[in-house]
Amino acid sequence: MKNYLPYIIITLIATALVLMVATGNYRKNRQLDNRITLRKADKIPYGTYVAYKNLPYLFPKANIHADKHEPGYWDSLSSYEGDQAVIVITGRFGADEFEMKRLINFAEKGNDVFISAIELSSDAERMFGCEARTTYTPSYFTGNDYAVNDTLELRLKSATSQRFAAYQYPGRYLSGYFYSTDTSTTDILGTDASGRPNFIHLQAGAGNFYVHLVPLAFSNYFLLHKQNISYYETAFSYLNPAVKKIAWDEYYLNKKYNDNEGEKKKGWFRVLMNLQNEEGKKPFKAAFWLAILLLLIYVLMEMRRKQRYIPVMTKPKNDSMDFVKTIGRLYYDKGDHGNLCRKMSGYFLEYVRNKYKLPTSQLNDELIKQLHYKSGLEEAEVRKIITFIRYAEDAPSVSPAELAEFHKLLESFYKKA
C-alpha cells in the first residue's frame, strides 16, 4: 500500500488542478445576458421583473393584473369606469389611430395611461402633439448591439419638490427624447443628461397620459443599481394614488406589424369579438361561445342511439273465412245452392270443433245445449243453425231464400260467438 501512496497523492493533485482550470474557464467564458425583453416574467438584466413585482408596494389598495390585449379590450379594466391605470413598457409603442382613440377614451373617464417606449408610432405622435427621436436605434431584442456610450444618465423631477434628481447606471444606452412638444398642453417631468425632455405629462379629460421614452429605466439592471429604485418610485408617484385597478399590458411587446404600414391588421371577427357595451362586457363574445356550447350539446345529444320506430301491428286477417266466402260466391254464381249450403255447414262444424272442442258427429239436442253454453248465443239461434244443417244434408235442392237465411244465421253466429 505504501508503494501506491505517492501515485494516489499525485492523481488527487492533478485532478484538483484540472477542476480549478475548468472552473476558471467556465467563469471566464460566462457572459452577461444582454437581451432586452422588457417582460415582467424575465429576471435577466433587461427584463422588468422588479418593476412589476414592486407595484403592490406602491399601490397597496389596487388590484394589479397582467394583460396582453389591445387597448379597450383588457380583461381586468373597464372602459366605462374611473380610478384605473394601464402601464405599457415596450421597445416600440406602435399604436394605430384606432388604438389611440381607445386609449384617449379610457383616459377621459378619469384613468391614467403610463407609456414607456423608445419609439412612438406616427399616430401616437400626432395625437400627443409631439415628435420623438431616438439617440440610438439597435435591434433591441437581439442583445448584440451596443452603443458607443454604455452609461445611461437620466434626470427626473420630484412630484413634491419640483426639483430634478440625477440617476445613472453602467448598462445599455438606449433611449429617446422629444424633439418637439406642445408646450401649452405638455408638462416636462424628466430629461436626459443633455437636458432634452424624455418624460412628459398630458391631460385627457379627467385622466392623464404619461409618456416616457427610456424603457430601460424600468429594467432590472437599472432599478437594482445603487439607489435607482427611487427613480421608479418617483416616476409612478405621478399616477393617481387612489387607483383601484392597474393593468400591466404587454400587448405591444407581442404585436405584429406590417412591414409597409407598421400596423397590425384587424379582422372583422376580432372587432366583433371585442365589442363592449356600456357595462364593459362583451355580449357578442358571450353569445358566440354560448352558441358553440349549445351546438356541441346538440351534437352530443344527437349522437345517442335512437330507438327504432315500432311498426303498427294490424289485426291478422282470417284468410280461411275469406277463402270460404270466395268459394261460396263461386258456387252461388253456378246456382248449386244445396252444395254451397253443405260446404258452409262443413266449415261451421269445423269451426265448432276447433274453437269449442265439441264433437259434431251427432247433431242432436245435446250438441245444441253445449254449443249454447260455450258460445253464449241464444239456444233458439243455435237450434235454427243445427236444424238447417240437418235439413240441407238430405234436401234435394235449396232455394236462394233458404240459402240467404242460412248465411245470415252463420254471420250472426260468427259475430256474436
Side-chain angles (χ1 to χ4, degrees), residues 1 79 93 161 268 286 343 352 370 383 409:
M1 183 67 183
S79 299
F93 180 68
S161 64
W268 61 269
K343 298 292 185 185
V352 171
Q370 290 181 357
R383 184 175 296 279
L409 291 173

mmCIF file of all heavy atoms in Angstrom, residues 1 79 93 161 268 286 343 352 370 383 409:
data_model
loop_
_atom_site.group_PDB
_atom_site.id
_atom_site.type_symbol
_atom_site.label_atom_id
_atom_site.label_comp_id
_atom_site.label_asym_id
_atom_site.label_seq_id
_atom_site.Cartn_x
_atom_site.Cartn_y
_atom_site.Cartn_z
ATOM 1 N N MET A 1 0.832 -1.209 0.000
ATOM 2 C CA MET A 1 0.000 0.000 0.000
ATOM 3 C C MET A 1 0.857 1.246 0.000
ATOM 4 O O MET A 1 0.548 2.243 -0.651
ATOM 5 C CB MET A 1 -0.934 -0.032 1.207
ATOM 6 C CG MET A 1 -1.898 1.146 1.269
ATOM 7 S SD MET A 1 -3.080 1.059 -0.080
ATOM 8 C CE MET A 1 -3.981 2.562 0.180
ATOM 9 N N SER A 79 -63.677 50.179 -19.711
ATOM 10 C CA SER A 79 -63.584 51.441 -20.442
ATOM 11 C C SER A 79 -64.625 52.455 -19.993
ATOM 12 O O SER A 79 -64.672 53.563 -20.526
ATOM 13 C CB SER A 79 -63.747 51.178 -21.951
ATOM 14 O OG SER A 79 -62.739 50.327 -22.429
ATOM 15 N N PHE A 93 -43.873 51.606 -29.184
ATOM 16 C CA PHE A 93 -45.295 51.816 -28.939
ATOM 17 C C PHE A 93 -45.943 52.066 -30.297
ATOM 18 O O PHE A 93 -46.031 53.190 -30.766
ATOM 19 C CB PHE A 93 -45.511 52.993 -27.994
ATOM 20 C CG PHE A 93 -46.958 53.266 -27.688
ATOM 21 C CD1 PHE A 93 -47.707 52.368 -26.950
ATOM 22 C CD2 PHE A 93 -47.573 54.423 -28.145
ATOM 23 C CE1 PHE A 93 -49.045 52.614 -26.681
ATOM 24 C CE2 PHE A 93 -48.894 54.684 -27.874
ATOM 25 C CZ PHE A 93 -49.639 53.767 -27.140
ATOM 26 N N SER A 161 -41.241 68.269 -4.628
ATOM 27 C CA SER A 161 -40.342 69.425 -4.516
ATOM 28 C C SER A 161 -40.093 70.139 -5.838
ATOM 29 O O SER A 161 -39.508 71.220 -5.859
ATOM 30 C CB SER A 161 -38.999 68.977 -3.929
ATOM 31 O OG SER A 161 -38.353 68.073 -4.821
ATOM 32 N N TRP A 268 -62.595 41.602 -39.130
ATOM 33 C CA TRP A 268 -63.933 41.954 -38.665
ATOM 34 C C TRP A 268 -64.364 41.057 -37.513
ATOM 35 O O TRP A 268 -65.055 41.503 -36.599
ATOM 36 C CB TRP A 268 -64.919 41.828 -39.818
ATOM 37 C CG TRP A 268 -65.012 40.438 -40.390
ATOM 38 C CD1 TRP A 268 -64.290 39.915 -41.414
ATOM 39 C CD2 TRP A 268 -65.879 39.396 -39.944
ATOM 40 N NE1 TRP A 268 -64.638 38.614 -41.643
ATOM 41 C CE2 TRP A 268 -65.625 38.260 -40.751
ATOM 42 C CE3 TRP A 268 -66.849 39.295 -38.952
ATOM 43 C CZ2 TRP A 268 -66.282 37.057 -40.588
ATOM 44 C CZ3 TRP A 268 -67.524 38.088 -38.782
ATOM 45 C CH2 TRP A 268 -67.240 36.993 -39.589
ATOM 46 N N ALA A 286 -69.756 36.593 -25.671
ATOM 47 C CA ALA A 286 -70.503 35.666 -24.820
ATOM 48 C C ALA A 286 -71.537 34.894 -25.631
ATOM 49 O O ALA A 286 -71.702 33.678 -25.462
ATOM 50 C CB ALA A 286 -71.175 36.437 -23.689
ATOM 51 N N LYS A 343 -121.211 -27.041 -48.040
ATOM 52 C CA LYS A 343 -119.843 -26.522 -47.810
ATOM 53 C C LYS A 343 -119.815 -25.585 -46.612
ATOM 54 O O LYS A 343 -118.909 -25.638 -45.773
ATOM 55 C CB LYS A 343 -119.341 -25.770 -49.053
ATOM 56 C CG LYS A 343 -119.238 -26.636 -50.302
ATOM 57 C CD LYS A 343 -118.140 -27.679 -50.154
ATOM 58 C CE LYS A 343 -117.988 -28.449 -51.475
ATOM 59 N NZ LYS A 343 -117.000 -29.556 -51.337
ATOM 60 N N VAL A 352 -116.702 -25.131 -34.992
ATOM 61 C CA VAL A 352 -117.171 -25.525 -33.651
ATOM 62 C C VAL A 352 -116.207 -26.514 -33.009
ATOM 63 O O VAL A 352 -115.883 -26.431 -31.815
ATOM 64 C CB VAL A 352 -118.599 -26.114 -33.740
ATOM 65 C CG1 VAL A 352 -119.012 -26.736 -32.403
ATOM 66 C CG2 VAL A 352 -119.581 -25.041 -34.152
ATOM 67 N N GLN A 370 -124.807 -27.707 -25.455
ATOM 68 C CA GLN A 370 -123.391 -27.436 -25.145
ATOM 69 C C GLN A 370 -122.871 -26.229 -25.940
ATOM 70 O O GLN A 370 -122.129 -25.379 -25.409
ATOM 71 C CB GLN A 370 -122.546 -28.667 -25.450
ATOM 72 C CG GLN A 370 -122.791 -29.814 -24.485
ATOM 73 C CD GLN A 370 -121.919 -31.006 -24.789
ATOM 74 O OE1 GLN A 370 -121.161 -31.015 -25.765
ATOM 75 N NE2 GLN A 370 -122.045 -32.060 -23.965
ATOM 76 N N ARG A 383 -130.201 -23.588 -32.384
ATOM 77 C CA ARG A 383 -131.065 -24.667 -32.849
ATOM 78 C C ARG A 383 -131.424 -24.468 -34.328
ATOM 79 O O ARG A 383 -131.483 -25.431 -35.107
ATOM 80 C CB ARG A 383 -132.322 -24.727 -31.989
ATOM 81 C CG ARG A 383 -133.263 -25.899 -32.317
ATOM 82 C CD ARG A 383 -134.411 -25.947 -31.334
ATOM 83 N NE ARG A 383 -133.946 -26.221 -29.987
ATOM 84 C CZ ARG A 383 -133.652 -27.434 -29.515
ATOM 85 N NH1 ARG A 383 -133.773 -28.489 -30.304
ATOM 86 N NH2 ARG A 383 -133.261 -27.577 -28.264
ATOM 87 N N LEU A 409 -127.815 -16.514 -40.572
ATOM 88 C CA LEU A 409 -127.661 -17.191 -39.286
ATOM 89 C C LEU A 409 -126.173 -17.427 -38.968
ATOM 90 O O LEU A 409 -125.720 -17.235 -37.832
ATOM 91 C CB LEU A 409 -128.423 -18.524 -39.307
ATOM 92 C CG LEU A 409 -129.953 -18.438 -39.332
ATOM 93 C CD1 LEU A 409 -130.570 -19.818 -39.518
ATOM 94 C CD2 LEU A 409 -130.468 -17.785 -38.050
#
